[in-house]
Amino acid sequence: SLRVLTGITTTGTPHLGNYVGAIRPAIVASQQPDSDCFFFMADYHALIKCDDPARIERSRLEIAATWLAAGLDPERVTFYRQSDVPEVTELNWLLTCVTAKGQMNRAHAYKGATDANEAAGEDPDAGITMGLFCYPILMAADILLFNPHKVPVGRDQIQHIEMTRDVAARFNHLFGQGKEFFVLPEAHIEEQVATLPGLDGRKMSKSYDNTIPLFEGGAKALKDAVAKIVTNSLLPGEAKDPECHLVTIYEAFATPEQAAAFRAQLVAGLGWGDAKKQLVELIDAHIGPMRDKYQALMAHPEQIEELLQIGAMKARAVAAPLLKQVREAVGLRRMN
Ligand code: TYM
C-alpha cells in the first residue's frame, strides 16, 4: 500500500492555500483504495511561532474540524495530534544528532529571519529560538516516524522534505547496516496550486495577512475577503489580462472549461466586480456544503477530542516498533 502523511501547524485559521495545496490532495489520496494515510495537527511546531496557548487550542480545533469537514474518514485515516505521540520528540533527538548544523543554517525559515535582522541592522540571531533553528529536524521526525512514501504539501515545504530525505539517507548510511530504516519520502505537489496567491498576489500566508479563510466566518467572510483581492483599475468593458492572481485563485476551483470561459470573459471586458462575484459563487459551490459540516463539528469539540485520542493510539502503535529498532541501531539497546 502507499503510505501518505501530512501535517498542518496549529497557529491560525485554515485558508484556501492550505486547502488546495495540502488538504484537498491529501483527502483525494486517502480515498484511493490502497492508501494508508497519516494526517495530523502539528502543535509542537506551533510553539515555535506562537506563545498564545488559547490561539493554539482554537487553531487545533479549527484545523481538526476542517479536515473532517473536507472529507477525512477517521476510520480509514490515522488522524492525530502531534503532541499526543511522544515518540516524535524522541526521534527528533536521535535525528538531531546526525543533522549537520550547516544544513540548518540554510533552512528558509531560519535564514529568512536572520536575513531580515541583518537588513534591519540588528544581531542576526535576535529573537530567534532554537525551536525555529531546528524546525526542519522536528518535521523530519514527524515524517520518518511513519515512513511514508508521499507527503502532500505546498511548494513552500519542498526544502523541508529535501532535508528530511538527507537526514534519512544519512541515518541509513550510519546505522542501517545494509538495511533501509527510513524510506526517502517524496513531496507530492499539485503544480497548478503549489503556491496559491493571496489577496495581494504574494503567496497566501498567515504571515502576510493576505488570506481568504476556508470556512471561518461563513459565506460573508469569503465574500468580504474576495472583495479585497487587489486588481488593476481597468473599467468594465476594457480588456483584462487573465494572467493575474484572481484568475489563479479561480482556476484552483474551476474545471478547464470553466477556466477558459472565465478568461475569455475577462478579455472581452468583464468588470472586476462581476469577476469577483463569479469567483465567490465558484468557491462557494465547492466549499459551501463542507462549511455546514464544519460548523456542526465546531459545536462538539469533545467528539473531535475523542477521535484524536483514538488516532493517537493508532499512530503510536505504528511508531513504537519503528522507534525501538532505531534505538537499538544507535546503541540504546537494553541488556536483557
Ligand atoms: P503550514 O501549516 O504552514 O501549511 C500547511 C500546508 O498548507 C500548504 N500551504 C500552501 N499551499 C499552497 N499555496 C499556499 N499559499 C499555501 N500556504 C500553505 C503548506 O505548504 C502545507 O503543506 N511545516 C509544515 C507543517 C508540518 C508538516 C509536517 C507537513 C509539520 N510537520 C510533516 C508535512 C509533513 C507547515 O508549517 O505547514
Side-chain angles (χ1 to χ4, degrees):
S1 74
L2 185 77
R3 190 167 281 182
V4 181
L5 173 143
T6 200
I8 298 184
T9 306
T10 58
T11 44
T13 294
H15 56 70
L16 293 189
N18 301 138
Y19 179 68
V20 301
I23 298 174
R24 189 170 64 185
I27 296 287
V28 170
S30 76
Q31 288 162 346
Q32 304 307 306
D34 64 339
S35 71
D36 176 18
C37 294
F38 290 73
F39 301 157
F40 67 97
M41 267 62 68
D43 56 352
Y44 283 143
H45 274 101
L47 301 177
I48 292 167
K49 31 186 173 174
C50 180
D51 56 11
D52 176 352
R55 170 135 167 246
I56 288 176
E57 290 194 354
R58 170 77 193 178
S59 172
R60 181 180 63 235
L61 176 62
E62 289 180 359
I63 294 173
T66 295
W67 274 113
L68 293 165
L72 183 153
D73 175 357
E75 299 276 322
R76 281 183 55 86
V77 172
T78 302
F79 180 49
Y80 58 99
R81 154 171 52 205
Q82 184 187 31
S83 65
D84 282 333
V85 182
E87 287 80 2
V88 169
T89 53
E90 184 171 353
L91 184 59
N92 178 57
W93 178 249
L94 301 181
L95 299 179
T96 298
C97 296
V98 301
T99 302
K101 174 174 179 283
Q103 193 177 26
M104 295 301 99
N105 290 341
R106 291 188 291 276
H108 293 318
Y110 170 71
K111 196 166 177 310
T114 53
D115 287 353
N117 280 338
E118 273 176 8
E122 285 177 35
D123 171 358
D125 282 330
I128 296 177
T129 64
M130 287 306 292
L132 180 69
F133 185 63
C134 298
Y135 184 111
I137 312 177
L138 180 58
M139 184 152 156
D142 291 333
I143 297 172
L144 298 178
L145 190 58
F146 298 98
N147 268 337
H149 309 95
K150 297 264 178 220
V151 184
V153 282
R155 185 166 285 125
D156 58 354
Q157 298 297 320
I158 290 183
Q159 189 198 41
H160 292 145
I161 312 290
E162 280 165 1
M163 289 180 162
T164 300
R165 293 168 62 89
D166 285 348
V167 172
R170 177 148 178 80
F171 195 96
N172 286 343
H173 172 74
L174 286 172
F175 301 111
Q177 296 185 316
K179 216 171 90 190
E180 299 285 290
F181 275 116
F182 294 124
V183 170
L184 304 196
E186 277 175 37
H188 169 104
I189 308 269
E190 302 272 305
E191 277 309 323
Q192 288 282 322
V193 289
T195 308
L196 192 76
L199 303 179
D200 55 0
R202 293 186 294 170
K203 181 187 100 165
M204 187 177 289
S205 166
K206 297 168 257 206
S207 20
Y208 295 148
D209 194 21
N210 66 353
T211 62
I212 301 177
L214 180 59
F215 301 136
E216 267 301 308
K220 174 148 192 328
L222 173 65
K223 199 163 157 248
D224 291 349
V226 167
K228 287 191 215 134
I229 294 177
V230 177
T231 59
N232 59 28
S233 54
L234 293 177
L235 298 171
E238 293 182 283
K240 314 291 185 300
D241 180 1
E243 299 310 319
C244 65
H245 56 284
L246 187 143
V247 173
T248 308
I249 299 172
Y250 188 93
E251 288 182 339
F253 292 90
T255 63
E257 295 73 30
Q258 285 172 318
F262 190 60
R263 284 170 169 263
Q265 286 184 74
L266 282 167
V267 172
L270 181 72
W272 288 124
D274 288 329
K276 287 179 174 180
K277 211 169 138 210
Q278 290 192 29
L279 176 59
V280 169
E281 279 166 13
L282 177 73
I283 298 176
D284 211 49
H286 278 258
I287 67 169
M290 296 182 212
R291 189 196 294 126
D292 295 341
K293 266 203 202 156
Y294 173 83
Q295 275 151 2
L297 287 156
M298 287 296 284
H300 292 285
E302 71 293 346
Q303 290 176 10
I304 291 183
E305 187 62 48
E306 208 170 299
L307 286 177
L308 293 179
Q309 292 311 313
I310 296 170
M313 272 181 349
K314 288 202 280 184
R316 295 190 72 183
V318 175
L322 182 95
L323 190 63
K324 180 165 181 284
Q325 284 182 26
V326 176
R327 288 174 62 105
E328 291 182 356
V330 299
L332 303 179
R333 195 203 314 251
R334 301 209 170 109
M335 302 288 200
N336 56 11

